[in-house]
C-alpha cells in the first residue's frame, strides 16, 4: 500500500486553491444553466416562428392552390424573404406535385429535401426544422405546405452567449483570486504567527517568547494555550538550569574533595597518582624527560607534638606555600599525607635543572616558620629521579625517588639526593618493610605475645600486656620499634590495631575462666584515634566482649596527649565510656609539661624502663622514679613500672611505693599457648616463679 504523501503546501495556499476551484465550479454550472436556457429559448422561438408562419402562409395560399395558380403561389412564398430564419418553403397539390417553391438566396444548400407526400407534422434534426402543414378550405384539404427554419442562427446566438459567459467567468476569476487570497490570509495569519514564534523558540532556545496571535476565537484560544505551555516550559527551563548549576557546583566541590588536600589546599595523593601517569605517558610519547621529587620534612613530628596539631597544620600550609613560590605555581605540587610532599616537573627536564630545583627547595624549606607567637624550624630531605633517564618504568621511577629521599635522610637530613644505582642496605630494607607491611595482616604474618604484669609484693599475675610480633618471610622477625612507625606512616596500623585488639580480647575472655580478675593492656597508636570512623570499631570490640569495666586498658603514648583539643578529649571520653581503662605508656620521657595529666581521664601511669634502669645508677634517676610514683599516687591512678630486670629493681620500686610491674625478671613476653599454664601456676602458688 502506498503511503500517503504528507501535504507540503501551506494552509493559505490550499485555502486559495480551494476557493478558486469552488469559484470555477460555480461559474461553470452557471454557464451551463445559461446555455441550456438559451437553447430552450431558441427552440421555443423556432417553434413559434414555424407555427405563425405556416398558419399565415397556409391561409394565404388556399386560393392559389384551389385555382392551381402557380404565379400567385410563388409570390406568396417569395414574401418569406423578409423572415431571415426561413430557409426554404414549398407548396404541393393534393397529388403531392410541387406547385411553387422558395429557397433563401445566398445560403448554402438547404439541409432537407421538401416532400409532397409527407405527413403533416414536424421534422427535426441538427441542421434545421421542417414543418409540414395541410392547406384546407372549409376543412377540406387542398394541398400541403412545407417550410424549413434553419438552426444556424440559433447556433451563432448560442456561441455568442457562451463566449460572453466565458468572458464573465474569466473576469469573475480575476476578481475572486485576490479576494480568496485575502480571506486565506485573514484565516491563517494567527497560525503563521504561531509557526513563526515556534520556529524562533526552536532556533534561539528562548522560552520567554510569547505569541500575540488573535483574530478569531480559536486563534485566541490556541495562542493562550501556547503561551501557557511556554510559561511552563520557561519555568522548567529555569528549574533545570538551576539544578544543572547546583550539580555543576557539587561536581566542582566533589572534585575539590577528591583532588585537593584540605590542610594545604595543594593537590592530594589521588591527583598526584594521575599526574604521575600523565607525565609517564607524555614522556614516552614525546621523549621529553620528566622529574619527580619526594619531599619529607625533618623534625615535623616534634613541632606537631610540642606545639599541637593546629600549629602543625599551619606549618604544613606554609611549607606548601613555599613550594608553590619556588616552583612559580601549584602545578605539579602535591601533599601526599603527613609531612610528605611531592613535585612533578615535566616537559623536558635536565639533571642540572632538577638539582637546581631540589637545592632551592631545601634552602627555602629550612628558613624559620612563624606559627603565631612561636617560631619553628624544620628542614626537608628531598629525593629525585628523572624519567626515563634514571628509571625504565613508572614503578621504578616512584621507587627510586623514594629511595633517594631516604638516602638524603640517611645522609644527615636537610639535603637532597638524586637517584643513583646501588642503594644503601637500610634504604632497601625500609622499602621491603613498607611493602611487606601492606600484606602482613592478610598473609597471617602477625601474631601476639603477652607479657605478664605482676603484683610486686606477692608476685601474682594481675594482667598481661599484648605485644605485636611480625615474622617477615625473608627478613625474619622484625621488632615493633622498627615496623610500628612505618605501619603508622602508611596507615596499615589502623586495621592491624583493630585486629590485635579483637584477638587479645578473645584470649582474655578464655583466660579469665582460670584467673577471673585478669586484666589486659593493649598498645594503641595515635593514628587509630584520628577520627570517629576508626574509633567506633574499637569501642564496638569492647562492647561486644562483655568484659567488665577497665578489664581492658589502652596504652597511649604521651605524644598523643599533647593535643588537648575538645575533640581529642571527647574521643578519650568515648573510649572510657566504652569501658576501657586508659594508661600513659613510657611516662616521663615525652613532655616536660604535666598540665595535661589533669585534663585526661587516665587510670594508669607506666614508668618508662629508662627510669627503672637509671634508678640504681644515679640519685637523680631514683628521684625521678620516686617523683613519678608520687604523681600517680596524687592522681589516684595505678603506677606500673616497666623493664624490671632484677630482684633489686623490684625491691627498690616496692620501697618507693610502686605496687605493679613487668619485666624480664618476671617473664619475657609469652606466646599465647604458654600463658594458660603460667596463669594456673600463678593461681596455685600465689606468687610468681621465674
Ligand atoms: P611498650 O608498650 O613500652 O612495650 C614494652 C616493651 O619493652 C616491649 O618491647 C617489651 O618486650 C619490652 N620489655 C619488656 N620487659 C623488658 C625488660 O625487662 N627489659 C627490656 N629491655 N625490655 C623489656 P616490644 O615488644 O619490642 O615493643 C616495643 C614497643 O612497640 C612497645 O613499647 C609499644 O610501644 C610498641 N608496640 C608493641 N606492640 C604494639 C601494638 O600492638 N600496637 C602498638 N601501637 N604499639 C605496639
Ligand atoms: Mg606498652
Ligand atoms: Mg612502655
Amino acid at each position: 500500500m502506498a503511503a500517503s504523501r504528507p501535504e507540503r503546501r501551506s494552509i493559505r495556499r490550499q485555502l486559495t486553491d480551494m476557493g478558486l476551484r469552488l469559484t470555477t465550479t460555480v461559474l461553470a454550472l452557471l454557464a451551463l444553466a445559461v446555455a441550456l436556457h438559451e437553447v430552450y429559448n431558441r427552440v421555443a422561438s423556432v417553434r413559434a416562428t414555424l407555427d405563425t408562419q405556416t398558419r399565415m402562409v397556409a391561409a394565404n395560399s388556399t386560393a392559389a392552390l384551389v385555382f392551381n395558380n402557380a404565379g400567385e403561389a410563388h409570390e406568396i412564398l417569395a414574401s418569406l424573404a423578409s423572415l431571415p430564419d426561413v430557409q426554404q418553403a414549398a407548396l404541393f397539390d393534393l397529388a403531392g406535385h410541387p406547385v411553387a417553391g422558395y429557397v433563401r438566396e445566398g445560403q448554402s444548400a438547404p439541409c432537407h429535401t421538401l416532400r409532397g407526400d409527407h405527413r403533416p407534422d414536424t421534422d427535426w434534426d441538427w441542421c434545421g426544422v421542417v414543418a409540414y402543414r395541410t392547406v384546407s378550405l372549409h376543412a377540406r384539404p387542398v394541398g400541403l405546405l412545407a417550410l424549413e427554419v434553419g438552426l444556424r442562427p440559433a447556433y451563432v446566438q448560442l456561441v455568442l452567449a457562451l463566449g460572453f459567459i466565458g468572458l464573465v467567468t474569466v473576469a469573475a476569476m480575476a476578481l475572486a483570486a485576490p479576494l480568496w487570497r485575502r480571506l486565506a490570509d485573514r484565516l491563517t495569519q494567527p497560525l503563521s504567527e504561531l509557526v513563526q514564534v515556534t520556529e524562533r523558540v526552536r532556533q534561539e532556545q528562548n522560552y520567554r517568547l510569547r505569541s500575540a496571535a488573535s483574530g478569531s476565537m480559536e486563534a485566541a484560544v490556541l495562542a493562550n494555550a501556547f503561551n501557557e505551555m511556554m510559561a511552563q516550559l520557561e519555568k522548567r527551563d529555569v528549574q533545570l538550569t538551576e539544578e544543572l548549576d547546583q550539580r555543576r557546583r557539587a561536581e566542582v566541590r566533589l572534585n575539590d574533595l577528591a583532588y585537593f588536600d584540605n590542610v594545604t589546599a595543594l593537590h592530594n595523593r589521588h591527583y598526584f597518582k594521575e599526574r604521575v601517569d600523565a607525565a609517564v605517558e607524555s614522556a614516552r610519547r614525546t621523549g621529553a624527560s620528566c622529574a619527580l621529587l619526594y619531599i619529607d620534612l625533618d623534625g615535623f613530628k616534634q613541632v606537631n607534638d610540642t606545639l599541637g596539631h593546629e600549629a602543625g597544620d599551619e606549618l604544613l600550609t606554609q611549607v606548601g606555600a613555599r613550594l608553590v613560590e619556588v616552583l612559580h605555581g601549584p602545578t605539579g605540587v602535591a601533599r601526599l599525607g603527613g609531612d610528605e610532599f611531592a613535585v612533578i616537573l615535566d616537559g623536558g627536564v635536565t639533571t642540572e635543572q632538577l638539582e637546581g630545583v631540589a637545592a632551592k627547595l631545601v634552602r627555602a624549606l629550612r628558613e624559620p616558620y612563624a606559627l603565631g607567637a612561636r617560631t619553628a624550624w624544620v628542614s626537608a630531605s628531598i629525593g629525585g629521579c628523572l624519567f626515563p633517564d634514571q628509571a625504565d618504568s613508572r614503578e621504578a621511577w616512584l621507587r627510586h625517588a623514594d629511595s633517594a629521599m631516604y638516602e638524603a635522610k640517611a645522609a644527615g637530613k636537610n639535603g637532597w639526593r638524586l637517584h643513583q644505582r646501588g642503594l644503601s642496605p637500610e634504604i632497601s630494607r625500609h622499602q621491603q618493610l613498607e611493602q611487606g607491611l601492606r600484606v602482613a595482616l592478610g598473609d597471617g604474618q602477625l601474631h601476639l605475645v603477652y607479657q605478664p604484669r605482676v603484683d610486686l609484693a606477692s608476685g601474682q599475675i594481675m594482667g598481661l600486656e599484648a605485644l605485636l610480633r611480625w615474622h617477615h618471610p625473608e627478613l625474619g622477625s622484625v621488632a615493633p620499634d622498627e615496623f610500628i612507625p612505618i605501619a603508622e606512616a602508611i596507615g596499615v596500623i589502623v586495621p592491624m590495631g583493630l585486629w590485635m585488639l579483637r584477638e587479645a580480647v578473645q584470649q582474655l575472655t578464655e583466660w579469665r575462666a582460670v584467673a577471673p580478675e585478669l586484666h589486659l593492656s593493649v598498645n594503641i597508636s595515635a593514628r587509630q584515634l584520628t577520627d570517629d570512623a576508626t574509633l567506633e570499631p574499637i569501642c564496638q570490640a569492647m562492647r561486644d566482649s562483655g568484659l567488665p569495666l577497665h578489664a581492658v586498658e589502652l596504652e597511649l603514648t604521651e605524644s598523643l596527649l599533647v593535643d588537648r583539643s575538645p575533640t581529642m578529649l571527647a574521643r578519650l571520653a568515648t573510649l572510657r565510656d566504652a569501658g576501657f581503662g586508659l594508661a600513659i605508656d613510657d611516662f616521663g620521657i615525652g613532655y616536660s609539661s604535666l598540665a595535661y595529666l589533669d585534663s585526661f581521664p587516665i587510670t594508669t601511669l607506666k614508668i618508662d624502663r629508662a627510669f627503672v634502669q637509671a634508678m640504681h645508677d644515679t640519685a637523680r634517676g631514683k628521684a625521678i622514679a620516686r617523683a613519678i610514683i608520687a604523681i600517680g599516687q596524687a592522681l589516684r591512678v595505678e603506677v606500673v613500672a616497666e623493664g624490671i630486670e632484677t630482684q633489686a629493681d623490684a625491691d627498690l620500686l616496692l620501697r618507693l611505693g610502686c605496687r605493679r610491674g613487668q619485666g624480664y625478671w618476671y617473664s619475657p613476653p609469652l606466646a599465647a599457648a604458654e600463658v594458660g599454664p603460667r596463669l594456673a601456676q600463678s593461681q596455685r602458688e600465689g606468687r610468681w616463679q621465674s
Side-chain angles (χ1 to χ4, degrees):
M1 198 177 81
S4 62
R5 280 220 348 245
E7 184 57 81
R8 289 263 172 249
R9 293 178 306 158
S10 66
I11 296 186
R12 177 179 173 278
R13 180 75 198 276
Q14 288 181 57
L15 266 178
T16 317
D17 287 358
M18 227 151 73
L20 288 178
R21 271 204 296 274
L22 188 72
T23 313
T24 317
T25 312
V26 168
L27 286 176
L29 285 175
L30 215 64
L32 189 68
V34 170
L36 285 176
H37 183 249
E38 185 65 19
V39 169
Y40 177 80
N41 277 345
R42 293 310 307 169
V43 170
S45 136
V46 167
R47 271 184 195 281
T49 308
L50 277 177
D51 194 51
T52 320
Q53 292 309 319
T54 48
R55 193 173 299 136
M56 254 173 55
V57 173
N60 291 342
S61 36
T62 313
L65 282 176
V66 170
F67 297 106
N68 204 14
N69 187 344
E72 193 186 339
H74 270 291
E75 264 173 45
I76 291 165
L77 291 186
S79 69
L80 290 172
S82 62
L83 298 172
D85 287 353
V86 177
Q87 295 299 305
Q88 60 175 332
L91 282 169
F92 300 94
D93 58 18
L94 281 176
H97 298 128
V99 179
Y102 161 76
V103 176
R104 175 167 290 279
E105 277 172 25
Q107 298 286 315
S108 47
C111 339
H112 294 92
T113 307
L114 306 181
R115 292 186 2 239
D117 56 353
H118 203 281
R119 280 183 294 113
D121 62 5
T122 312
D123 216 7
W124 287 86
D125 75 1
W126 63 273
C127 183
V129 190
V130 185
Y132 291 91
R133 195 181 188 106
T134 309
V135 183
S136 330
L137 180 69
H138 307 304
R140 253 185 49 229
V142 287
L144 184 70
L145 167 67
L147 192 144
E148 182 185 351
V149 172
L151 289 181
R152 264 197 210 97
Y155 291 144
V156 171
Q157 288 281 318
L158 196 63
V159 167
L160 281 177
L162 285 177
F164 178 70
I165 289 169
L167 275 177
V168 170
T169 305
V170 169
M173 292 289 281
L175 264 174
L179 282 177
W180 276 113
R181 247 176 246 127
R182 267 241 296 281
L183 182 71
D185 276 349
R186 273 192 61 182
L187 289 178
T188 59
Q189 192 270 336
L191 262 185
S192 314
E193 213 264 356
L194 262 179
V195 169
Q196 275 169 18
V197 179
T198 315
E199 194 56 22
R200 271 187 65 198
V201 171
R202 191 180 67 79
Q203 278 169 1
E204 300 169 19
Q205 302 282 305
N206 179 358
Y207 301 107
R208 283 190 303 278
L209 293 175
R210 295 289 181 272
S211 162
S214 61
S216 65
M217 189 186 78
E218 289 84 350
V221 169
L222 200 61
N224 272 345
F226 176 84
N227 288 344
E228 267 172 35
M229 212 166 69
M230 287 306 296
Q232 281 178 13
L233 269 181
E234 189 188 347
K235 216 166 101 189
R236 297 242 171 101
D237 188 51
V238 169
Q239 278 172 354
L240 205 70
T241 317
E242 266 171 24
E243 273 170 27
L244 278 177
D245 275 359
Q246 274 174 4
R247 192 176 298 178
R248 229 170 275 133
R249 279 198 296 275
E251 272 167 14
V252 169
R253 173 99 187 96
L254 272 182
N255 186 54
D256 281 0
L257 285 178
Y259 286 100
F260 288 92
D261 167 51
N262 54 7
V263 175
T264 58
L266 292 175
H267 283 114
N268 61 11
R269 183 182 283 276
H270 184 58
Y271 168 84
F272 168 74
K273 281 188 185 156
E274 290 187 6
R275 261 316 280 256
V276 166
D277 293 342
V280 166
E281 157 71 25
S282 129
R284 282 199 178 124
R285 210 181 47 244
T286 62
S289 300
C290 52
L292 171 62
L293 291 173
Y294 271 132
I295 303 165
D296 193 90
L297 300 182
D298 314 313
F300 172 72
K301 195 168 176 315
Q302 283 88 322
V303 174
N304 209 29
D305 287 350
T306 47
L307 302 182
H309 291 318
E310 272 181 28
D313 285 355
E314 172 58 25
L315 187 128
L316 291 173
T317 311
Q318 292 188 23
V319 166
R322 288 185 195 183
L323 293 178
V324 170
E325 197 184 309
V326 171
L327 296 160
H328 307 297
T331 322
V333 183
R335 177 178 171 226
L336 305 183
D339 56 359
E340 265 182 71
F341 293 82
V343 169
I344 292 176
L345 305 168
D346 51 12
V349 187
T350 64
T351 315
E352 292 70 37
Q353 283 170 336
L354 186 58
E355 286 173 347
V357 172
K360 241 189 198 170
L361 288 174
V362 168
R363 276 200 303 279
L365 296 179
R366 68 173 164 228
E367 291 297 315
Y369 295 82
L371 305 175
R374 314 283 287 268
T375 305
W377 283 265
V378 293
S379 58
S381 299
I382 300 180
C385 183
L386 278 165
F387 181 88
D389 318 48
Q390 299 173 331
D392 48 15
S393 70
R394 176 191 187 277
E395 285 64 37
W397 191 35
L398 299 179
R399 214 173 44 240
H400 292 342
D402 195 40
S403 311
M405 195 267 287
Y406 277 106
E407 222 185 324
K409 275 225 190 284
K413 305 181 177 174
N414 187 17
W416 57 268
R417 282 282 187 287
L418 293 199
H419 170 72
Q420 281 161 7
R421 317 229 160 248
L423 297 169
S424 60
E426 307 85 70
I427 291 156
S428 45
R429 179 177 168 88
H430 183 97
Q431 283 180 345
Q432 229 175 333
L433 291 179
E434 201 176 295
Q435 280 160 14
L437 275 173
R438 294 189 197 277
V439 296
L441 183 60
D443 286 1
Q445 296 167 12
L446 298 175
H447 70 278
L448 292 177
V449 291
Y450 300 87
Q451 185 174 43
R453 178 192 288 182
V454 302
D455 176 74
L456 295 182
S458 67
Q460 196 170 2
I461 299 178
M462 309 306 291
L464 296 156
E465 177 176 3
L467 294 159
L468 202 50
R469 291 291 175 264
W470 177 27
H471 188 87
H472 188 282
E474 285 154 29
L475 302 172
S477 178
V478 184
D481 283 331
E482 188 178 12
F483 76 77
I484 297 258
I486 305 175
E488 285 178 335
I490 62 175
V492 295
I493 193 70
V494 174
M496 272 184 186
L498 189 62
W499 168 80
M500 76 88 71
L501 175 70
R502 288 192 180 130
E503 183 86 3
V505 162
Q506 161 98 30
Q507 284 288 355
L508 179 67
T509 319
E510 283 175 30
W511 293 329
R512 276 173 78 98
V514 182
E517 298 297 316
L518 197 69
H519 283 63
L520 176 79
S521 297
V522 175
N523 295 284
I524 190 147
S525 148
R527 275 297 292 266
Q528 292 175 262
L529 306 180
T530 43
D531 61 64
D532 297 338
T534 54
L535 197 68
E536 180 44 34
I538 295 174
C539 297
Q540 194 57 44
M542 182 64 197
R543 287 193 287 264
D544 292 346
S545 73
L547 288 163
L549 210 61
H550 300 176
V552 180
E553 187 178 71
L554 300 178
E555 297 193 2
L556 318 160
T557 55
E558 280 176 281
S559 63
L560 188 120
L561 306 176
V562 167
D563 181 1
R564 265 186 291 158
S565 64
T567 336
M568 186 47 87
L569 281 174
R571 285 192 188 134
L572 293 178
T574 310
L575 291 173
R576 280 293 298 264
D577 293 347
F580 289 114
L582 297 179
I584 299 182
D585 205 354
D586 308 336
F587 182 70
I589 57 163
Y591 297 93
S592 47
S593 163
L594 295 177
Y596 65 84
L597 278 184
D598 218 19
S599 352
F600 292 107
I602 55 161
T603 46
T604 305
L605 279 188
K606 292 189 79 178
I607 311 174
D608 190 68
R609 69 169 176 268
F611 300 118
V612 173
Q613 274 147 22
M615 273 186 326
H616 297 293
D617 306 341
T618 60
R620 219 174 117 81
K622 195 166 153 187
I624 294 176
R626 184 185 281 130
I628 295 175
I629 294 164
I631 292 170
Q633 285 168 346
L635 293 174
R636 296 182 199 288
V637 298
E638 186 156 76
V639 179
V640 180
E642 286 186 314
I644 303 173
E645 292 184 350
T646 62
Q647 178 72 59
D649 291 342
D651 292 345
L652 182 54
L653 284 164
L654 255 178
R655 275 209 304 283
L656 292 176
C658 176
R659 304 207 338 262
R660 303 271 188 268
Q662 60 189 81
Y664 295 160
W665 173 249
Y666 296 100
S667 169
L670 302 169
E674 295 174 293
V675 174
R678 289 291 176 99
L679 276 177
Q681 187 191 11
S682 169
Q683 292 289 101
R684 229 179 14 251
E685 296 172 6
R687 67 183 305 278
W688 184 257
Q689 303 281 307
S690 68

